[in-house]
């Protein structure tokens, strides 16, 4: 897992994309239950990425005098 907050958001998006691809592959094979499971995981990763973006916008900034 990356340490930089921007990298973490990118990681979450990559994982979401991977699970969407797995869901599509499962749909193509006719495995509807697996496709729904993978799509649910993808949605969770997307939600985590969204929360990370919101969190990055709310972090206090350091100001030097």
């Amino acid at each position: 897992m990356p340490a930089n907050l921007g990298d973490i958001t990118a990681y979450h998006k990559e994982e979401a994309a991977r699970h969407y691809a797995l869901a599509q592959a499962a749909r193509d094979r006719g495995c509807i239950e697996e496709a729904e499971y993978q799509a649910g995981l993808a949605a969770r990763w997307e939600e985590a990425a969204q929360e990370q973006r919101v969190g990055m916008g709310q972090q206090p900034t350091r100001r030097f005098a």
Side-chain angles (χ1 to χ4, degrees), residues 12-13 15-21 23 36-48:
H12 289 160
K13 287 180 145 188
E15 284 297 307
R18 185 174 71 86
H19 283 285
Y20 281 128
E36 289 177 358
Y37 174 75
Q38 292 296 338
L41 288 177
R44 289 181 187 167
W45 281 108
E46 280 287 336
E47 183 178 330

Side-chain angles (χ1 to χ4, degrees), residues 2 10 18 31 37 53 55-56 61:
R18 185 174 71 86
C31 300
Y37 174 75
R53 279 192 299 272
M56 287 183 346
T61 58

Side-chain angles (χ1 to χ4, degrees), residues 10-33:
Y11 174 77
H12 289 160
K13 287 180 145 188
E14 289 171 8
E15 284 297 307
R18 185 174 71 86
H19 283 285
Y20 281 128
L22 289 171
Q24 184 61 49
R27 260 186 232 105
D28 292 346
R29 290 191 316 269
C31 300
I32 302 304
E33 294 84 12

Side-chain angles (χ1 to χ4, degrees), residues 3-14:
N4 181 312
L5 294 178
D7 290 343
I8 293 171
T9 300
Y11 174 77
H12 289 160
K13 287 180 145 188
E14 289 171 8

